[in-house]
Amino acid sequence: MSVFFWAATAVMAVALGAAGVLALVTGRVSFPWLRRSVRRPGMWGAGALLMAVSLGVGRWVPSGIHLPLMLGGLALVLLAQTGRARGASPE
């Protein structure tokens, strides 16, 4: 893998990790274009952290570990964007 792709993957892992930690700590998604669509920021943060870990260790672990981490994180991120927020009134 070239140095460019390694560096791009590292930058994406750090950005997702930082956004995930911020979402877990503050309860708010740090990306402005996602704030309206994310219903559960804590779940979104956990999914972003799983994807960041998957990107970070993907080069050194087998795909049997890397891919389930990525898919689990993606599933959490997608589930965080469905349904209604906790405490929201039904329409």
Side-chain angles (χ1 to χ4, degrees):
M1 188 184 295
S2 72
V3 174
F4 172 76
F5 288 113
W6 182 84
T9 303
V11 168
M12 286 189 311
V14 168
L16 267 175
V21 167
L22 280 172
L24 283 173
V25 169
T26 63
R28 186 173 179 193
V29 177
S30 59
F31 298 123
W33 63 89
L34 285 177
R35 285 189 189 138
R36 284 190 180 169
S37 64
V38 173
R39 305 284 187 232
R40 298 176 187 100
M43 185 183 292
W44 188 92
L49 276 177
L50 270 178
M51 289 192 298
V53 167
S54 174
L55 285 172
V57 301
R59 187 172 184 169
W60 297 285
V61 299
S63 61
I65 296 171
H66 167 68
L67 289 176
L69 282 174
M70 181 62 76
L71 291 175
L74 184 62
L76 285 175
V77 165
L78 291 176
L79 284 172
Q81 294 179 343
T82 61
R84 59 186 174 141
R86 201 169 22 168
S89 61
E91 297 179 59

